[in-house]
Amino acid sequence: MIRRLSTKLLNVCVSSLCKSRNLDKAEAVIIDGIRLGCLPDVVTYNTLIDAYCHLVGVDEAYVILYRMREAGVRPDVITYNSLIAGATRCCLPSRSLDLFEEMLQAGLVPDDWSYNTLMHCLFKCGYPEDAYKIYLDMLSKNVAPSLTTYNTLINGMCKTGNAMNGLRLFRNLKRLGFSAELVTYNTIINGLCKSGRIGEARRILKELGESDCVPNEITYTTVMKCCFRNGRFEQGFEIFSGMMNKGYTSDVFAYCAAISALIKMGNLEDANACVEQMLRNGIGLDKACYNTIIYLQCKEGKIDYAFQLVNEMEEAGLGSDQYTYSILIDGLCRMGYIDSANKQLHMMEMRGFLSNLVAYNCLIDGLCKLGEVDLALKLFHEMKSKDDYTYTSIVNGLCQKSRFHAASKLLLNCLKEGSSVLTSTHRAVIAGLQSAGFRRDAKRLKASLRVASLLRY
DNA sequence: TTAGGGTTAG
């Protein structure tokens, strides 16, 4: 009895230390406990494993699992659920599946939580068909799906391009014995907004208003962003003001969305005022928010201040990411500082941010705008992947230098590779060829473009 | 375990 009570006390201590992100102290307390004869139990280890998954990584958490086994404490379903959730956060689907298998091998029976997490992992990492198989497996093993199971399915469907299936499932919830909760509403509204089904999203929003659920800051920012995405700025800002009036004054997502919209509108003065208001409200800036403010400074040409903010962000322990670098590279190119932009690109690669298509595009565009189209072409040929932005910049750059035949050739290559450029760029190439006296070539290009659009290559 | 974010052309 005394031992049980003291283990309970040990667990309270470990839990509290883990919550305050003090993993070293939590481990020290466990060691002290063992020395005093108070042995950690499955709850102690589960607490530690979950904290390691959240704060360090799934590999480090797995080390605790070894120690747990060595200490003669048998892992349970909760242990594995935490580990699967950890693998999900890092988008490691094979790892999640292996852990699930390991759980079965250990003779444990996965619960709805295990299935939900595994399904979420597979959706998140781009394997919707496998996620559906897990759902069927869940049913075949007579594990009752919960509302979270359906929320996860609706979310997964929306995020993998099947918002209408998500909506069908949403409509079937009652038949399955559930009524939608706020998470369900927010999930489907976001899915419908993102897939352009604004009318459907509005209908669900109306239903949410008539339900017992109370919209929260997530609902408001979801709808607000939908308005901004569709160019309905006035409506979006009405929602933002409404949010503020309702007391949602400390939501970093809402401020970031509003600041980004103001930048897009070219209203840098109000964007700055919004930043000030956010800071006055004592909102702690996160990485995305810093990036938005850095973007604002770049737009204003305050590149030194932008770099100062990057330092501030790194000193705050947030670290910069591929977005930070792309924003800086774009800002430097706009100011004509191509060498510095190049330096940032190398730093970006050295730091392992390899998805830098946007950064390359900024450089290519910057070089073209400075008339350095040959340097831009050199970079273009070095690029492993290209998109519509790449081709549009380079084709425009060639047109500016009156190299219409090269532009025409690239334009056709672009269509063959499944990319497309703006129709204004098509027109620029055709008009260029015509004005340079190559009327037959212009006619031929026009015909090829028409065929390409019919074949949709 | 499930819901909202940031960058590039014209």
Side-chain angles (χ1 to χ4, degrees), chain A residues 179-182 185 206-215:
Chain A
S179 39
E181 59 182 354
L182 186 58
Y185 280 108
K206 191 166 173 277
E207 287 173 32
L208 165 61
E210 290 159 359
S211 78
D212 294 332
C213 298
V214 180

Side-chain angles (χ1 to χ4, degrees), chain A residues 220-412:
Chain A
Y220 291 115
T221 46
T222 301
V223 182
M224 182 172 99
K225 282 190 69 67
C226 183
C227 293
F228 290 149
R229 218 178 289 126
N230 291 286
R232 296 180 180 180
F233 291 104
E234 205 177 313
Q235 216 172 344
F237 284 113
E238 260 170 40
I239 296 171
F240 182 65
S241 304
M243 260 185 97
M244 296 294 128
N245 293 337
K246 282 192 174 73
Y248 294 113
T249 53
S250 52
D251 193 277
V252 72
F253 280 57
Y255 277 105
C256 263
I259 295 164
S260 300
L262 287 163
I263 298 173
K264 280 205 174 79
M265 290 162 75
N267 189 346
L268 303 186
E269 202 183 323
D270 283 354
N272 272 308
C274 200
V275 171
E276 274 168 30
Q277 191 188 328
M278 177 172 71
L279 297 175
R280 262 202 311 277
N281 284 344
I283 293 172
L285 304 184
D286 63 9
K287 204 186 278 189
C289 206
Y290 260 110
N291 283 341
T292 309
I293 303 174
I294 292 167
Y295 178 50
L296 172 60
Q297 302 312 319
C298 287
K299 280 273 181 191
E300 289 197 301
K302 296 177 183 166
I303 202 83
D304 289 337
Y305 186 43
F307 273 100
Q308 206 176 305
L309 285 170
V310 175
N311 287 338
E312 193 181 303
M313 179 180 175
E314 286 181 344
E315 273 163 20
L318 295 168
S320 39
D321 60 9
Q322 68 268 38
Y323 290 102
T324 323
Y325 279 101
S326 300
I327 293 164
L328 288 174
I329 289 167
D330 179 51
L332 287 165
C333 287
R334 280 174 197 277
M335 306 276 293
Y337 303 142
I338 299 292
D339 287 344
S340 302
N342 240 324
K343 211 169 130 195
Q344 291 298 322
L345 184 73
H346 288 307
M347 273 175 68
M348 182 180 185
E349 284 177 337
M350 270 168 61
R351 287 192 57 185
F353 300 126
L354 298 175
S355 51
N356 51 10
L357 177 61
V358 175
Y360 268 98
N361 285 346
C362 293
L363 253 176
I364 288 209
D365 195 58
L367 284 166
C368 287
K369 287 207 171 111
L370 284 177
E372 297 284 1
V373 73
D374 285 316
L375 285 177
L377 275 170
K378 192 171 170 276
L379 203 61
F380 176 85
H381 292 301
E382 281 171 19
M383 286 173 75
K384 284 183 190 119
S385 62
K386 301 166 181 88
D387 67 359
D388 299 1
Y389 287 95
T390 332
Y391 279 104
T392 302
S393 293
I394 204 95
V395 172
N396 275 327
L398 286 165
C399 285
Q400 273 164 29
K401 288 278 171 185
S402 304
R403 289 160 67 174
F404 301 113
H405 281 105
S408 165
K409 199 176 156 194
L410 262 183
L411 182 52
L412 290 170

